[in-house]
mmCIF file of all heavy atoms in Angstrom:
data_model
loop_
_atom_site.group_PDB
_atom_site.id
_atom_site.type_symbol
_atom_site.label_atom_id
_atom_site.label_comp_id
_atom_site.label_asym_id
_atom_site.label_seq_id
_atom_site.Cartn_x
_atom_site.Cartn_y
_atom_site.Cartn_z
ATOM 1 N N LYS A 172 -91.311 0.978 125.357
ATOM 2 C CA LYS A 172 -91.878 -0.411 125.257
ATOM 3 C C LYS A 172 -92.517 -0.818 126.539
ATOM 4 O O LYS A 172 -93.465 -1.630 126.566
ATOM 5 C CB LYS A 172 -90.758 -1.411 124.865
ATOM 6 C CG LYS A 172 -90.362 -1.316 123.391
ATOM 7 C CD LYS A 172 -89.308 -2.339 123.047
ATOM 8 C CE LYS A 172 -88.921 -2.222 121.583
ATOM 9 N NZ LYS A 172 -87.627 -2.839 121.290
ATOM 10 N N SER A 173 -92.061 -0.310 127.692
ATOM 11 C CA SER A 173 -92.660 -0.620 128.951
ATOM 12 C C SER A 173 -92.561 0.583 129.869
ATOM 13 O O SER A 173 -91.747 1.432 129.638
ATOM 14 C CB SER A 173 -92.024 -1.842 129.611
ATOM 15 O OG SER A 173 -90.647 -1.525 129.943
ATOM 16 N N LYS A 174 -93.429 0.608 130.903
ATOM 17 C CA LYS A 174 -93.320 1.653 131.907
ATOM 18 C C LYS A 174 -92.425 1.102 133.029
ATOM 19 O O LYS A 174 -92.678 0.010 133.521
ATOM 20 C CB LYS A 174 -94.682 2.042 132.437
ATOM 21 C CG LYS A 174 -94.647 3.037 133.567
ATOM 22 C CD LYS A 174 -96.049 3.353 134.074
ATOM 23 C CE LYS A 174 -95.980 4.158 135.368
ATOM 24 N NZ LYS A 174 -97.286 4.588 135.799
ATOM 25 N N LYS A 175 -91.383 1.837 133.361
ATOM 26 C CA LYS A 175 -90.503 1.392 134.464
ATOM 27 C C LYS A 175 -90.362 2.462 135.504
ATOM 28 O O LYS A 175 -90.358 3.668 135.190
ATOM 29 C CB LYS A 175 -89.098 1.090 133.898
ATOM 30 C CG LYS A 175 -89.044 -0.189 133.047
ATOM 31 C CD LYS A 175 -88.228 -1.254 133.720
ATOM 32 C CE LYS A 175 -88.263 -2.518 132.916
ATOM 33 N NZ LYS A 175 -87.104 -3.381 133.176
ATOM 34 N N VAL A 176 -90.307 2.006 136.762
ATOM 35 C CA VAL A 176 -90.065 2.950 137.855
ATOM 36 C C VAL A 176 -88.842 2.577 138.611
ATOM 37 O O VAL A 176 -88.667 1.408 138.984
ATOM 38 C CB VAL A 176 -91.329 2.930 138.825
ATOM 39 C CG1 VAL A 176 -91.109 3.940 139.999
ATOM 40 C CG2 VAL A 176 -92.608 3.280 138.064
ATOM 41 N N TYR A 177 -87.941 3.524 138.782
ATOM 42 C CA TYR A 177 -86.656 3.262 139.485
ATOM 43 C C TYR A 177 -86.561 4.125 140.732
ATOM 44 O O TYR A 177 -86.865 5.336 140.700
ATOM 45 C CB TYR A 177 -85.490 3.611 138.570
ATOM 46 C CG TYR A 177 -85.481 2.914 137.249
ATOM 47 C CD1 TYR A 177 -86.035 3.536 136.105
ATOM 48 C CD2 TYR A 177 -84.944 1.629 137.040
ATOM 49 C CE1 TYR A 177 -86.065 2.946 134.872
ATOM 50 C CE2 TYR A 177 -84.930 1.009 135.830
ATOM 51 C CZ TYR A 177 -85.493 1.682 134.741
ATOM 52 O OH TYR A 177 -85.526 1.051 133.511
ATOM 53 N N SER A 178 -86.051 3.500 141.807
ATOM 54 C CA SER A 178 -85.682 4.326 142.976
ATOM 55 C C SER A 178 -84.266 4.817 142.717
ATOM 56 O O SER A 178 -83.592 4.364 141.750
ATOM 57 C CB SER A 178 -85.705 3.477 144.233
ATOM 58 O OG SER A 178 -84.686 2.509 144.172
ATOM 59 N N LEU A 179 -83.798 5.747 143.545
ATOM 60 C CA LEU A 179 -82.429 6.242 143.367
ATOM 61 C C LEU A 179 -81.415 5.132 143.512
ATOM 62 O O LEU A 179 -80.455 4.999 142.805
ATOM 63 C CB LEU A 179 -82.152 7.387 144.364
ATOM 64 C CG LEU A 179 -82.858 8.688 144.108
ATOM 65 C CD1 LEU A 179 -82.513 9.746 145.122
ATOM 66 C CD2 LEU A 179 -82.543 9.244 142.701
ATOM 67 N N SER A 180 -81.694 4.214 144.483
ATOM 68 C CA SER A 180 -80.725 3.110 144.664
ATOM 69 C C SER A 180 -80.790 2.116 143.481
ATOM 70 O O SER A 180 -79.800 1.516 143.156
ATOM 71 C CB SER A 180 -80.925 2.404 146.009
ATOM 72 O OG SER A 180 -82.256 1.938 146.148
ATOM 73 N N ASP A 181 -81.989 1.951 142.879
ATOM 74 C CA ASP A 181 -82.052 1.120 141.659
ATOM 75 C C ASP A 181 -81.102 1.692 140.571
ATOM 76 O O ASP A 181 -80.354 0.970 139.964
ATOM 77 C CB ASP A 181 -83.465 1.165 141.047
ATOM 78 C CG ASP A 181 -84.449 0.406 141.884
ATOM 79 O OD1 ASP A 181 -84.018 -0.448 142.695
ATOM 80 O OD2 ASP A 181 -85.697 0.657 141.722
ATOM 81 N N LEU A 182 -81.196 3.031 140.370
ATOM 82 C CA LEU A 182 -80.412 3.676 139.323
ATOM 83 C C LEU A 182 -78.907 3.423 139.603
ATOM 84 O O LEU A 182 -78.132 3.118 138.755
ATOM 85 C CB LEU A 182 -80.632 5.182 139.230
ATOM 86 C CG LEU A 182 -82.038 5.597 138.680
ATOM 87 C CD1 LEU A 182 -82.190 7.108 138.835
ATOM 88 C CD2 LEU A 182 -82.145 5.196 137.246
ATOM 89 N N LYS A 183 -78.540 3.614 140.906
ATOM 90 C CA LYS A 183 -77.117 3.503 141.263
ATOM 91 C C LYS A 183 -76.567 2.065 141.189
ATOM 92 O O LYS A 183 -75.426 1.891 140.899
ATOM 93 C CB LYS A 183 -76.901 4.071 142.694
ATOM 94 C CG LYS A 183 -77.151 5.586 142.763
ATOM 95 C CD LYS A 183 -77.044 6.119 144.185
ATOM 96 C CE LYS A 183 -77.495 7.561 144.209
ATOM 97 N NZ LYS A 183 -77.509 8.151 145.529
ATOM 98 N N SER A 184 -77.460 1.067 141.425
ATOM 99 C CA SER A 184 -76.949 -0.281 141.458
ATOM 100 C C SER A 184 -77.139 -1.018 140.117
ATOM 101 O O SER A 184 -76.374 -1.869 139.769
ATOM 102 C CB SER A 184 -77.663 -1.063 142.547
ATOM 103 O OG SER A 184 -79.097 -1.083 142.318
ATOM 104 N N LYS A 185 -78.152 -0.606 139.360
ATOM 105 C CA LYS A 185 -78.493 -1.364 138.160
ATOM 106 C C LYS A 185 -77.679 -0.960 136.956
ATOM 107 O O LYS A 185 -77.507 -1.769 136.040
ATOM 108 C CB LYS A 185 -79.985 -1.068 137.864
ATOM 109 C CG LYS A 185 -80.719 -2.330 137.406
ATOM 110 C CD LYS A 185 -82.164 -2.062 137.205
ATOM 111 C CE LYS A 185 -82.574 -3.100 136.153
ATOM 112 N NZ LYS A 185 -83.830 -3.280 135.749
ATOM 113 N N PHE A 186 -77.186 0.273 136.911
ATOM 114 C CA PHE A 186 -76.487 0.774 135.720
ATOM 115 C C PHE A 186 -75.075 1.219 136.078
ATOM 116 O O PHE A 186 -74.773 1.529 137.224
ATOM 117 C CB PHE A 186 -77.266 1.966 135.119
ATOM 118 C CG PHE A 186 -78.722 1.645 134.847
ATOM 119 C CD1 PHE A 186 -79.763 1.977 135.719
ATOM 120 C CD2 PHE A 186 -79.059 0.932 133.671
ATOM 121 C CE1 PHE A 186 -81.055 1.703 135.438
ATOM 122 C CE2 PHE A 186 -80.385 0.653 133.385
ATOM 123 C CZ PHE A 186 -81.392 1.018 134.305
ATOM 124 N N ASN A 187 -74.227 1.258 135.004
ATOM 125 C CA ASN A 187 -72.871 1.771 135.207
ATOM 126 C C ASN A 187 -72.921 3.278 135.488
ATOM 127 O O ASN A 187 -73.791 3.969 134.877
ATOM 128 C CB ASN A 187 -71.993 1.538 133.981
ATOM 129 C CG ASN A 187 -71.623 0.061 133.862
ATOM 130 O OD1 ASN A 187 -71.553 -0.670 134.897
ATOM 131 N ND2 ASN A 187 -71.449 -0.393 132.657
ATOM 132 N N THR A 188 -71.998 3.764 136.282
ATOM 133 C CA THR A 188 -71.923 5.191 136.603
ATOM 134 C C THR A 188 -70.828 5.862 135.790
ATOM 135 O O THR A 188 -69.779 5.270 135.604
ATOM 136 C CB THR A 188 -71.632 5.357 138.147
ATOM 137 O OG1 THR A 188 -72.699 4.712 138.838
ATOM 138 C CG2 THR A 188 -71.598 6.831 138.514
ATOM 139 N N TYR A 189 -71.092 7.039 135.288
ATOM 140 C CA TYR A 189 -70.113 7.792 134.502
ATOM 141 C C TYR A 189 -70.030 9.237 134.990
ATOM 142 O O TYR A 189 -71.004 9.735 135.538
ATOM 143 C CB TYR A 189 -70.550 7.851 133.016
ATOM 144 C CG TYR A 189 -70.619 6.468 132.343
ATOM 145 C CD1 TYR A 189 -71.813 5.732 132.418
ATOM 146 C CD2 TYR A 189 -69.558 5.916 131.721
ATOM 147 C CE1 TYR A 189 -71.923 4.474 131.841
ATOM 148 C CE2 TYR A 189 -69.618 4.646 131.126
ATOM 149 C CZ TYR A 189 -70.794 3.921 131.221
ATOM 150 O OH TYR A 189 -70.905 2.676 130.668
ATOM 151 N N SER A 190 -68.858 9.834 134.789
ATOM 152 C CA SER A 190 -68.667 11.236 135.161
ATOM 153 C C SER A 190 -68.151 12.001 133.925
ATOM 154 O O SER A 190 -67.234 11.514 133.212
ATOM 155 C CB SER A 190 -67.627 11.414 136.252
ATOM 156 O OG SER A 190 -68.170 10.865 137.453
ATOM 157 N N TYR A 191 -68.716 13.149 133.663
ATOM 158 C CA TYR A 191 -68.233 14.029 132.606
ATOM 159 C C TYR A 191 -68.292 15.481 133.069
ATOM 160 O O TYR A 191 -69.166 15.840 133.846
ATOM 161 C CB TYR A 191 -69.140 13.938 131.342
ATOM 162 C CG TYR A 191 -69.182 12.565 130.671
ATOM 163 C CD1 TYR A 191 -70.260 11.714 130.879
ATOM 164 C CD2 TYR A 191 -68.098 12.121 129.909
ATOM 165 C CE1 TYR A 191 -70.294 10.498 130.276
ATOM 166 C CE2 TYR A 191 -68.148 10.886 129.302
ATOM 167 C CZ TYR A 191 -69.259 10.036 129.473
ATOM 168 O OH TYR A 191 -69.301 8.829 128.896
ATOM 169 N N ASN A 192 -67.318 16.291 132.569
ATOM 170 C CA ASN A 192 -67.456 17.742 132.768
ATOM 171 C C ASN A 192 -68.277 18.287 131.612
ATOM 172 O O ASN A 192 -67.927 18.111 130.451
ATOM 173 C CB ASN A 192 -66.059 18.427 132.719
ATOM 174 C CG ASN A 192 -65.205 18.054 133.896
ATOM 175 O OD1 ASN A 192 -65.585 17.175 134.707
ATOM 176 N ND2 ASN A 192 -64.057 18.666 134.031
ATOM 177 N N LEU A 193 -69.432 18.880 131.939
ATOM 178 C CA LEU A 193 -70.365 19.326 130.868
ATOM 179 C C LEU A 193 -70.730 20.775 131.022
ATOM 180 O O LEU A 193 -71.050 21.221 132.155
ATOM 181 C CB LEU A 193 -71.617 18.456 130.937
ATOM 182 C CG LEU A 193 -71.395 16.937 130.716
ATOM 183 C CD1 LEU A 193 -72.623 16.156 131.063
ATOM 184 C CD2 LEU A 193 -70.966 16.631 129.286
ATOM 185 N N VAL A 194 -70.722 21.491 129.908
ATOM 186 C CA VAL A 194 -71.096 22.903 129.919
ATOM 187 C C VAL A 194 -72.624 23.030 129.892
ATOM 188 O O VAL A 194 -73.262 22.440 129.034
ATOM 189 C CB VAL A 194 -70.536 23.652 128.716
ATOM 190 C CG1 VAL A 194 -71.056 25.095 128.710
ATOM 191 C CG2 VAL A 194 -69.004 23.685 128.749
ATOM 192 N N LEU A 195 -73.124 23.719 130.866
ATOM 193 C CA LEU A 195 -74.567 24.096 130.840
ATOM 194 C C LEU A 195 -74.652 25.588 130.704
ATOM 195 O O LEU A 195 -74.049 26.322 131.518
ATOM 196 C CB LEU A 195 -75.281 23.630 132.116
ATOM 197 C CG LEU A 195 -75.569 22.123 132.299
ATOM 198 C CD1 LEU A 195 -76.374 21.870 133.536
ATOM 199 C CD2 LEU A 195 -76.317 21.584 131.057
ATOM 200 N N GLU A 196 -75.376 26.047 129.726
ATOM 201 C CA GLU A 196 -75.578 27.488 129.529
ATOM 202 C C GLU A 196 -77.033 27.752 129.263
ATOM 203 O O GLU A 196 -77.658 27.084 128.493
ATOM 204 C CB GLU A 196 -74.732 27.993 128.338
ATOM 205 C CG GLU A 196 -74.859 29.502 128.129
ATOM 206 C CD GLU A 196 -73.984 30.056 126.996
ATOM 207 O OE1 GLU A 196 -73.477 29.228 126.171
ATOM 208 O OE2 GLU A 196 -73.804 31.235 126.928
ATOM 209 N N CYS A 197 -77.548 28.793 129.925
ATOM 210 C CA CYS A 197 -78.930 29.175 129.707
ATOM 211 C C CYS A 197 -79.061 29.766 128.304
ATOM 212 O O CYS A 197 -78.237 30.490 127.854
ATOM 213 C CB CYS A 197 -79.334 30.230 130.737
ATOM 214 S SG CYS A 197 -80.987 30.927 130.434
ATOM 215 N N GLY A 198 -80.105 29.344 127.571
ATOM 216 C CA GLY A 198 -80.368 29.825 126.216
ATOM 217 C C GLY A 198 -80.406 31.354 126.160
ATOM 218 O O GLY A 198 -80.090 31.962 125.121
ATOM 219 N N GLY A 199 -80.817 31.976 127.256
ATOM 220 C CA GLY A 199 -80.949 33.432 127.310
ATOM 221 C C GLY A 199 -79.784 34.168 127.855
ATOM 222 O O GLY A 199 -79.794 35.381 128.098
#
Side-chain angles (χ1 to χ4, degrees):
Chain A
K172 284 183 182 161
S173 64
K174 175 181 170 175
K175 289 249 177 154
V176 180
Y177 304 95
S178 68
L179 289 180
S180 56
D181 290 340
L182 290 173
K183 291 174 189 178
S184 59
K185 223 177 151 175
F186 305 99
N187 287 332
T188 301
Y189 299 88
S190 293
Y191 297 104
N192 291 8
L193 300 168
V194 174
L195 285 185
E196 181 178 15
C197 174

